[in-house]
Amino acid sequence: MSGIPFPENNPAFRIGPVGFHFHPSSILHKKQLFSEYRRFLTKAHPDFWQIALEPAALEQPREVPVVEEKTGRFSVSSGRFHGEFSRKERRGRLRVRNTAAVTTFLRAFLSHVLTKERGFLLHGAGVRVNDGACLLAGVSGSGKSTLSRMAAPGDVLSDELVLAHRGDARWQAYGTPFYGDVRRNQPAGYPLRAVFLLEKAGEWSAERLSQSDAARGLLKCVLNFSAGREGYSSLLDNTADLTAAVPCLRLRFAKKRPHGKSLTATLDGLLRSEGLS
Amino acid sequence: MSPRSVKYRQASHLAQRRIAGELFVVDPRHRCLHQPQGAGDPLWEWLKKGATVEELVQNLLRDYDVPRDTAEKDVRRFLRELKRKKIVEEVS
């Protein structure tokens, strides 16, 4: 947190290409946001989403977030939070039952905003491999945390949700503050070298997937709470673009690393054996 | 209106595109992915503008070497499946 005054300033942080500048009405919320997102804190920028954060006694039973968009304004809500936002002004107001709800809100908010900005949040672990990163995509129980534990601590972008974004030139993978069992998240972004769809097996192997098989597998791992056609159309476009630009493979893996190699070396070796150095 | 003159059309709430030649159709209401394959692929395309059962059968007979019986069975089975999934609608 060096260079970021606390607690005079409001917390500003960046998750991949999306910046947030929260304006909490309570000092408790402010402290908790600084603590929860400390690795992702950065200097505030005018392009960041400006979000007024207020406590609220919400009593709705719904747990799964819902996103609804109409003519440039959208709402993100669940039983624990309710927010309304203007896409054009990049600002809005979020009411939460407690600070923990901000994490759930951010997942829903990011998944919605990113689909229209050439990106998405994916159920997957992100691991640095040489100068890039590999995405290990899979739903709950597929082995994301198991594999993340095999990587060096500084090489894990997240063991639960990774942000993929198409920049000007290529797809990048970014760490997120969302984690499962392994809290080693790194905020950095790296060129996305490959996507592996996870499958538990007795031995390690990788097999290149056709674009349509990759798209089918990837769609199961995309986080999306919007119920509208437009959001899904963008999501299909992003999926088509990513699977055309980035090699996608099926990764069959065992619980133990082959010959004690690091996960990074193992993935790099599998990519090279497929001619993807 | 007689059943033979009923026109069917893809439901308007769907998101869809082709990826590597394969159809990906998503129903946002149920968060389901549908992938019409085989004869279902061209039948789905013909349903974009709307078509009766007879028009769909005629299109199949024109483009594929199949007996009329088979074409009619395929069309009816496909439409039944789409109706069950609520991704096709009747238009007058």
Side-chain angles (χ1 to χ4, degrees), chain A residues 1-77:
Chain A
M1 277 188 19
S2 61
I4 299 167
F6 174 81
E8 288 83 2
N9 284 356
N10 283 324
F13 53 90
R14 186 188 279 279
I15 305 173
V18 185
F20 297 91
H21 193 184
F22 274 91
H23 303 276
S25 63
S26 95
I27 191 74
L28 180 66
H29 279 166
K30 186 189 279 191
K31 281 183 177 175
Q32 287 174 336
L33 287 174
F34 267 112
S35 168
E36 185 66 25
Y37 301 101
R38 60 187 176 280
R39 289 183 184 209
F40 292 79
L41 291 171
T42 185
K43 282 186 180 171
H45 187 276
D47 285 348
F48 284 12
W49 282 87
Q50 304 293 325
I51 299 178
L53 180 66
E54 300 163 12
L58 299 168
E59 294 295 338
Q60 298 160 18
R62 193 178 61 236
E63 283 301 316
V64 179
V66 173
V67 181
E68 290 173 298
E69 173 144 10
K70 276 182 188 167
T71 58
R73 295 193 69 82
F74 63 94
S75 66
V76 187
S77 56

Side-chain angles (χ1 to χ4, degrees), chain B residues 5-92:
Chain B
S5 63
V6 172
K7 271 199 172 193
Y8 297 94
R9 189 174 59 191
Q10 295 173 6
S12 56
H13 67 279
L14 305 171
Q16 57 183 306
R17 73 161 286 159
R18 280 189 185 273
I19 299 178
E22 277 188 39
L23 262 172
F24 284 70
V25 181
V26 178
D27 181 350
R29 291 178 187 166
H30 301 101
R31 298 168 190 233
C32 286
L33 173 67
H34 304 287
Q35 291 204 272
Q37 287 170 345
D41 188 317
L43 286 172
W44 180 255
E45 289 294 347
W46 293 325
L47 286 168
K48 204 171 266 178
K49 287 183 178 172
T52 64
V53 170
E54 183 55 27
E55 285 167 342
L56 292 171
V57 171
Q58 287 302 326
N59 286 347
L60 273 186
L61 292 173
R62 183 192 66 212
D63 292 357
Y64 295 85
D65 186 18
V66 286
R68 183 178 170 90
D69 270 10
T70 308
E72 206 166 318
K73 271 183 196 166
D74 282 352
V75 167
R76 291 194 185 282
R77 189 168 46 225
F78 184 64
L79 283 173
R80 227 177 8 250
E81 187 68 12
L82 299 184
K83 281 191 220 172
R84 188 181 64 77
K85 292 174 175 172
K86 296 182 177 155
I87 58 174
V88 71
E89 52 200 21
E90 290 183 13
V91 286
S92 52

Side-chain angles (χ1 to χ4, degrees), chain A residues 10 13 20 26 36 43 52 55 57 62-63 70 102 117 144-145 154 158 163 182 193 200 204 231 243 265 269:
Chain A
N10 283 324
F13 53 90
F20 297 91
S26 95
E36 185 66 25
K43 282 186 180 171
R62 193 178 61 236
E63 283 301 316
K70 276 182 188 167
V102 174
E117 297 180 8
K144 303 186 291 289
S145 294
S158 169
L163 191 155
V182 185
R193 256 185 95 184
K200 291 176 181 171
W204 287 74
T243 50

Side-chain angles (χ1 to χ4, degrees), chain A residues 92-227:
Chain A
R93 176 172 172 241
L94 174 65
R95 294 157 60 232
V96 292
R97 199 155 71 186
N98 51 42
T99 319
V102 174
T103 300
T104 317
F105 157 76
L106 281 172
R107 292 174 185 222
F109 181 94
L110 267 174
S111 70
H112 182 65
V113 166
L114 280 168
T115 49
K116 286 194 177 171
E117 297 180 8
R118 303 206 299 177
F120 28 43
L121 273 184
L122 289 154
H123 287 286
V127 180
R128 278 181 60 191
V129 177
N130 298 339
D131 296 332
C134 288
L135 177 56
L136 313 174
V139 293
S140 180
S142 59
K144 303 186 291 289
S145 294
T146 303
L147 288 168
S148 296
R149 282 192 210 95
M150 296 179 192
D155 287 343
V156 180
L157 304 182
S158 169
D159 72 329
E160 194 191 10
L161 282 174
V162 175
L163 191 155
H165 180 253
R166 173 84 189 223
D168 290 338
R170 59 188 303 176
W171 281 87
Q172 298 267 124
Y174 292 90
T176 69
F178 315 121
Y179 59 92
D181 297 338
V182 185
R183 193 172 187 179
R184 296 167 170 175
N185 315 34
Q186 302 293 326
Y190 301 92
L192 184 54
R193 256 185 95 184
V195 175
F196 289 98
L197 298 177
L198 301 181
E199 186 179 311
K200 291 176 181 171
E203 293 184 349
W204 287 74
S205 67
E207 170 200 352
R208 188 83 185 258
L209 294 171
S210 69
Q211 191 189 355
S212 48
D213 282 343
R216 244 187 311 279
L218 211 57
L219 280 169
K220 290 179 188 164
C221 302
V222 173
L223 207 65
N224 183 44
F225 298 100
S226 115

